[in-house]
Amino acid sequence: MTDKDDTTAHIDAAAAILNLPITPERKENVAAFVNVARQMAARVEESGAGRTTEAAPVFRPREQS
Amino acid sequence: MTKKLPRAATDIASAIAKGELSAREVTDRALDSIENSDKEIGAFTNVTRERARAEAEAIDKLRENGASLPPLAGVPYAVKNLFDIEGIKTLAGSKINQDLPPANEDAVVVQRMKQAGAILLGGLNMGEFAYDFTGENAHYGPSRNPLDKERMTGGSSGGPAAAVAAGFVPLSLGSDTNGSIRVPAAFCGLYGLKPTYGRLPRNGTFPFCDSLDHVGPFATNPVDLATTYDALQGPYEEDPTCAQRPLEPTLPELTKGVEGLRIAVAGGYFRRDADQGALTAVDLAAKHLGATEDVDIPDVEKARAAAFLITNAEGSTFHLDSIRLQIDDFDPDTRDRFLAGATLPASWYISAQRFRRQFAETMRKVFQNCDVLIAPATPCSAPKIGQKMMTLEGNQVPLRAHIGIFTQPISFVGLPVAAAPVWVDDPMPYGVQIIAPPWREDLCLRVAHALAGKMVKV
């Protein structure tokens, strides 16, 4: 499969699972944005911010007043 | 002939305090100006005439009674229409929010502006749901740049920048998730402040991306900016993101100058993909500040990438119900980005949040060797409305995706930034970002004040 096929398959599956109205006429444009996100994700994964790095948001339970 | 109103908010407040002007007169003249000229600009989506007149009369009564006036007494301002205004629907630039009931109280920062004596004139145009760098909007029309009406204001706080640059109000409030205060401030020749993430309460504002949303002011000068920011500060327990820090006034710090401050210029990433005007603007600021050292910050591209993913995933998840039920009511320029964001794998989002922690540490190390960083606000000056592509380093690149390349990595880790205008050999202004470590808005504003009035190439 090509990257293009992968993205299309991803969009079709996500649309079905999440009930997203990604109609055929919208699919090409949505795929373009998903592909940008893929490139961005690849860059982030190169950073090596792995399991030892805690994700930024920290939940702090609020004291009972 | 009617006497011209002062341009600066603090001059207006001073004239009202001395009895040279009444708040009602100032308000009526501002309302007339909006009525007569906003058709050409598209800054306002709601004008709150009755409320404005009532607030102005209350200020005039305070003065008549000899009470001491708060710092922004009688100063007109307006807010991006994602801030709740009691009795008005919070549109957030959308058609979809027209179905919501009117807000039943003001946003916390609007309440604080009222306590400071400012007079609310209305809600301002913006890019739909703040997912925008242009100031264009398919539902309400674009906000037009008052310096050249064929050009963009920048976004998503396009209306707040347009309203101040047009002279309708001396102050406005906007929001900034990836650059939405700093970009329009740069394109419209204004000062803007994006405070530290968590500094100002966001209660009563319509969210875009909780992890990255900030609110802040626009003004025509650093004194007004600091005065307004100080009025907005203070803890607010109901906002889990608000840092609950005590008031840390910046106005008394403003005139301390830059002597003793270690000011560096962001190099590397921040020197690429910028046009000559943007680079000249930074060089001019550096020259005036005596900043000679360049800092090449590692991993800035990754910071931008991670900010992109967090914004796309959180923004789309927030709008999931509307995406499913009202997709045709979205602005076509946001619709497919929200659809794409709704499909992103959780692992991409979590990796981006992990990297956020790592990049915050990177910046902490950078600030061990300097106190303030200077960087371009945008890679270009204001493009034409409707423009889709831009030329950078000889290549045609998509405009929307590139306007925020210099702002996005900075807000990603919540650093405070003042945007300051710079005029080079271009009919339109540029902006520089003045970046400081977390909670040091005072340094951003001090440096902005030191540059004020000097930022014209001669």
Side-chain angles (χ1 to χ4, degrees), chain B residues 215-240:
Chain B
V215 297
F218 287 87
T220 61
N221 65 80
V223 174
D224 285 359
L225 199 67
T227 305
T228 309
Y229 166 64
D230 286 353
L232 297 174
Q233 282 190 59
Y236 191 75
E237 217 174 88
E238 297 301 313
D239 179 352

Side-chain angles (χ1 to χ4, degrees), chain A residues 10-11 14-15 17-22 26 29-30 33-34 36-41 43-58 62 65, chain B residues 211 237-238 299 301-302 304-306 308-309 312 320 323-324 327-328 332 335-337 339-340 342-345 347-358:
Chain A
H10 166 81
I11 290 171
I17 292 168
L18 295 165
N19 189 23
L20 301 173
I22 303 177
R26 290 178 190 137
N29 212 19
V30 173
F33 287 118
V34 170
V36 173
R38 279 182 83 171
Q39 292 165 15
M40 299 290 183
R43 270 188 218 167
V44 172
E45 282 173 10
E46 282 169 18
S47 70
R51 286 185 290 182
T52 55
T53 311
E54 190 171 359
V58 176
R62 198 172 155 192
S65 53
Chain B
S211 289
E237 217 174 88
E238 297 301 313
D299 291 338
E301 293 93 342
K302 296 183 180 90
R304 183 187 167 227
F308 177 99
L309 293 171
N312 200 205
L320 204 50
I323 288 169
R324 287 172 175 149
I327 192 67
D328 292 329
R335 181 192 61 209
D336 296 342
R337 285 186 286 160
L339 278 168
T343 75
L344 300 194
S347 59
W348 293 0
Y349 174 81
I350 300 291
S351 296
Q353 287 285 15
R354 282 200 167 120
F355 178 68
R356 192 179 183 204
R357 175 86 61 201
Q358 184 173 307

Side-chain angles (χ1 to χ4, degrees), chain B residues 45-63:
Chain B
T45 50
N46 304 89
V47 179
T48 51
R49 285 179 193 79
E50 285 179 23
R51 171 178 173 153
R53 286 177 177 139
E55 287 183 348
E57 281 165 11
I59 293 295
D60 287 335
K61 192 156 274 181
L62 267 182
R63 189 183 175 278

Side-chain angles (χ1 to χ4, degrees), chain B residues 188-205:
Chain B
C188 294
L190 299 172
Y191 290 85
L193 180 70
K194 184 206 77 62
T196 308
Y197 179 75
R199 169 72 86 171
L200 299 183
R202 302 176 305 186
N203 293 57
T205 64

Side-chain angles (χ1 to χ4, degrees), chain B residues 233-253:
Chain B
Q233 282 190 59
Y236 191 75
E237 217 174 88
E238 297 301 313
D239 179 352
T241 303
C242 190
Q244 314 302 341
R245 292 173 75 90
L247 198 86
E248 295 172 281
T250 57
L251 199 57
E253 306 294 312

